């Protein structure tokens, strides 16, 4: 607001605050986006491919609530993780239940598995989900506060490495089917409770010895969550990190065998991977295999996941581990990568026919006529609110339809309709009761 328009009592200032508030009314919350009609073909494509891949690998769909008890994330994801410490959207219900907008899918799926005794079904149970997740992060490219994931989870049964390979495979094939190229998988093993605690101690000792050379966050992590030390991006910590002990050197025999077999499956499938001893994925429930999938020139992960055999115990559902492994992919990042790699926009199911109606009797007939096309499975568009031939023809042209059907007063009276070939401009009059058949023949 220009200074001159403010009065001494600050009335102008008040107005500007009000103006700002009103502007915010027409602004989606920070880091959360509308998905407008023009974007929908990309989303539909991913939904379609997710369903295809899930069907093929025999994952059944599960939908869990957007809100979950906070505790499943505190106990499962981990109280000292960034997600739980800093990023959850929290609310209290009127009954004073503590709820969170789900920041990730796995704890909710495990909760549902326990609640509905899915252990009584044939094991393992293979589930997939597709939906929105919420994290209060600093919004930037590829990082939002509401984002969508498709996830695959295999719960129960054996802790067979073949399932680790299959969850990676499902995510990888989904990305491939979207025509995203040059993928790599980063993979690591975090071992089991036994070997990891030996490694954690080694790592802690090493960092404590070097505590003068690391950042404040790392000094804190060294006592609260030592594995997260390997996530640190601070430049000053990189030299220390590069010399740090690595988990693979501390894996016990069973974990080593398990990991070797996962890698052998990936080799057999010809899937490109790199061992990455710094990959820890930050969440408490992971054990053994962890992985992330990247596309060339896109430096954030498209997806990731891992084994989480301890999650059901951490949630208090069992006294022994329940084998489980999963992966999830970020939909916005998939779309961004498709666009960046020049993948063609998925074709919309475009209508090839436009119905033009002129005059009241024609408008009255139009709705029923559209129904005949619907029954015949032919998509037809119209602009029923418009009356003039010119404006409707202009719209038909804009929609790039092949055929315009013109229904005027005279046609209604004579029970005819005009079929106009939009390319040649040639028009032909046909009986109204033959029009569906004739259009079907022409657009085949
Ligand atoms: P995570 O649940 O952190 O393992 O993430 C799995 C995938 O979800 C990532 O590889 C991203 O593709 C996507 N993702 C995670 N966090 C976000 C976010 N804040 N914004 C957009 N996508 C995200």
């Amino acid at each position: 607001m220009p200074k001159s328009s403010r009065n001494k009592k600050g009335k102008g200032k008040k107005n500007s605050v009000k103006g700002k508030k009103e502007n915010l009314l027409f602004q989606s919350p920070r880091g959360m986006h509308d998905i407008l009609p023009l974007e929908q073909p990309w989303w539909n494509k991913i939904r379609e491919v997710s369903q295809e891949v899930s069907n093929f690998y025999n994952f059944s769909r599960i939908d869990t609530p957007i809100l979950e008890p906070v505790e499943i994330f505190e106990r499962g994801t981990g109280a000292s993780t960034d997600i739980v410490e800093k990023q959850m959207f929290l609310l209290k219900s009127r009954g004073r239940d503590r709820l969170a907008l789900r920041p990730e899918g796995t704890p909710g799926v495990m909760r549902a598995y326990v609640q509905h005794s899915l252990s009584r079904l044939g094991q393992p149970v293979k589930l997939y989900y597709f939906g929105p997740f919420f994290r209060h992060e600093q919004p930037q490219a590829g990082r939002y506060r509401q984002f969508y994931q498709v996830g695959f989870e295999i719960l129960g049964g054996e802790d067979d490495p073949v399932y680790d390979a299959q969850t990676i495979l499902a995510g990888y094939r989904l990305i491939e089917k979207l025509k995203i190229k040059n993928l790599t998988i980063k993979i690591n093993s975090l071992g089991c409770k036994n070997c990891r605690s030996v490694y954690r101690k080694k790592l802690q000792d090493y960092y404590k010895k070097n505590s003068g050379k690391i950042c404040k966050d790392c000094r804190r992590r060294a006592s609260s969550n030592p594995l997260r030390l390997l996530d640190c991006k601070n430049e000053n910590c990189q030299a220390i990190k590069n010399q740090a002990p690595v988990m693979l050197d501390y894996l016990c025999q069973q974990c080593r065998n398990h990991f070797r077999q996962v890698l052998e499956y990936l080799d057999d499938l010809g899937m490109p991977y790199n061992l990455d001893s710094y990959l820890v994925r930050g969440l408490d429930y992971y054990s053994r295999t962890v992985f992330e999938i990247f596309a060339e020139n896109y430096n954030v992960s498209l997806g990731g996941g891992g084994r989480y055999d301890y999650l059901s115990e951490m949630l208090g559902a069992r006294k022994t581990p329940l084998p489980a492994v999963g992966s999830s992919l970020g939909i916005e990042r998939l779309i961004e990568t498709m666009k960046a790699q020049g993948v063609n926009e998925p074709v919309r199911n475009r209508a090839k026919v436009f119905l033009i109606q002129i005059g009241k009797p024609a408008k009255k007939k139009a709705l029923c006529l559209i129904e005949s096309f619907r029954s015949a499975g032919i998509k037809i568009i119209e602009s029923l609110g418009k009356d003039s031939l010119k404006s409707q023809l202009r719209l038909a042209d804009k929609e790039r339809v092949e055929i315009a059907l013109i229904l005027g007063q005279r046609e209604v009276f004579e029970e005819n309709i005009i079929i106009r070939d939009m390319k040649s401009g040639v028009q032909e009059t046909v009986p109204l009761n033959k029009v569906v058949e004739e259009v079907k023949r022409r657009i085949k």
Side-chain angles (χ1 to χ4, degrees), residues 46 49-51 53-54 57 150-152 168-180 183 329 331 334:
I46 298 185
V49 169
S50 301
Q51 211 160 19
V53 170
S54 310
Y57 294 110
V150 53
F152 302 96
I168 301 174
L169 180 64
Y172 189 88
R173 287 286 183 253
L174 195 159
I175 302 174
E176 259 187 355
K177 269 183 157 280
L178 296 172
K179 302 206 169 67
I180 295 176
L183 300 175
L329 310 175
I331 311 300
L334 292 173

Side-chain angles (χ1 to χ4, degrees), residues 403-421 425-439 441-442:
I403 290 170
L405 301 174
I406 305 170
L407 191 62
Q409 216 149 317
R410 177 163 158 204
E411 283 73 30
V412 174
F413 184 68
E414 292 176 357
E415 299 200 359
N416 284 332
I417 191 163
I418 299 167
I419 300 187
R420 179 187 173 97
D421 182 313
V426 175
Q427 299 194 163
E428 192 187 334
T429 302
V430 297
L432 205 48
N433 61 5
K434 293 268 168 17
V435 67
V436 175
E437 223 172 281
E438 179 58 21
V439 166
R441 192 183 65 75
R442 290 188 183 210

Side-chain angles (χ1 to χ4, degrees), residues 15-44:
N15 282 343
S16 89
V17 171
K18 193 173 163 214
K20 208 169 159 192
K21 262 193 186 158
E22 261 159 26
N23 280 343
L24 283 177
L25 208 61
F26 298 101
Q27 183 73 52
S28 61
R30 198 159 130 75
M32 302 188 178
H33 300 284
D34 301 308
I35 307 167
L36 296 174
L38 275 179
E39 279 294 296
Q40 294 290 346
W42 298 93
W43 288 78
N44 284 341

Side-chain angles (χ1 to χ4, degrees), residues 63-330:
D63 289 295
T64 57
I66 305 284
L67 291 172
E68 290 280 359
V70 177
E71 239 184 316
I72 67 168
F73 304 110
E74 287 172 343
R75 289 200 204 179
T77 313
S80 65
T81 58
D82 279 356
I83 289 185
V84 173
E85 247 181 8
K86 305 180 193 158
Q87 297 173 350
M88 283 201 295
F89 286 87
L90 299 169
L91 55 111
K92 271 201 184 112
S93 71
R94 284 179 192 273
R96 308 206 71 69
D97 295 328
R98 288 168 64 234
L99 299 170
L101 285 178
R102 59 185 192 181
E104 54 137 345
T106 304
V109 170
M110 180 60 86
R111 189 229 2 96
Y113 177 93
V114 175
Q115 178 177 345
H116 303 288
S117 303
L118 299 188
S119 57
R120 286 202 297 241
L121 305 178
Q123 300 295 294
V125 175
K126 293 164 79 175
L127 302 169
Y128 91 97
Y129 57 82
F130 190 114
F133 294 88
F134 304 84
R135 294 184 196 169
H136 197 275
E137 301 204 68
Q138 209 42 45
Q140 50 186 281
R143 199 170 291 285
Y144 309 108
R145 290 186 175 171
Q146 175 174 343
F147 56 95
Y148 286 71
Q149 285 185 340
V150 53
F152 302 96
E153 312 281 2
I154 302 182
L155 302 101
E158 307 76 24
D159 65 0
D160 196 312
V162 75
Y163 294 131
D164 304 49
Q166 205 177 36
T167 48
I168 301 174
L169 180 64
Y172 189 88
R173 287 286 183 253
L174 195 159
I175 302 174
E176 259 187 355
K177 269 183 157 280
L178 296 172
K179 302 206 169 67
I180 295 176
K181 291 193 276 298
N182 303 327
L183 300 175
T184 44
I185 300 163
K186 288 187 181 173
I187 191 163
N188 192 18
S189 174
L190 300 178
C192 62
K193 269 182 185 160
N194 300 333
C195 54
R196 190 167 19 172
S197 67
V198 176
Y199 171 65
R200 192 188 276 133
K201 180 83 181 56
K202 282 272 172 216
L203 195 64
Q204 220 163 16
D205 290 347
Y206 168 80
Y207 269 89
K208 278 189 178 152
K209 247 192 276 162
N210 290 290
S211 66
K213 301 178 196 155
I214 54 178
C215 68
K216 211 168 77 202
D217 280 343
C218 278
R219 278 199 288 278
R220 191 171 53 86
R221 287 182 192 125
S223 38
S224 65
N225 196 345
L227 289 187
R228 293 295 312 280
L229 289 163
L230 302 177
D231 262 351
C232 183
K233 303 282 183 295
N234 187 319
E235 265 185 26
N236 299 332
C237 300
Q238 299 311 303
I240 301 296
K241 191 167 112 175
N242 290 340
Q243 300 297 319
V246 297
M247 182 70 228
L248 294 183
D249 292 338
Y250 292 86
L251 291 181
C252 63
Q253 197 55 44
Q254 285 101 317
C255 288
R256 184 176 299 279
N257 278 343
H258 193 275
F259 192 46
R260 187 178 42 76
Q261 288 178 68
V262 175
L263 299 183
E264 279 170 8
Y265 283 122
L266 298 185
D267 286 333
D268 291 347
L269 290 161
M271 286 164 60
Y273 63 82
N274 294 318
L275 295 184
D276 182 345
S277 45
Y278 298 129
L279 185 68
V280 289
R281 306 256 316 129
L283 311 186
D284 280 8
Y285 55 63
Y286 282 123
S287 56
R288 293 190 167 167
T289 316
V290 285
F291 66 91
E292 285 183 353
I293 306 178
F294 288 82
E296 206 175 48
N297 298 331
Y298 193 69
N299 63 359
V300 283
S301 66
L302 295 180
R307 179 162 280 286
Y308 52 95
D309 296 351
Y310 301 128
L311 178 59
S312 67
E313 280 173 280
M314 292 161 81
L315 294 181
R318 292 162 56 106
K319 296 237 159 15
T320 52
L322 176 85
V325 60
S327 62
S328 65
L329 310 175

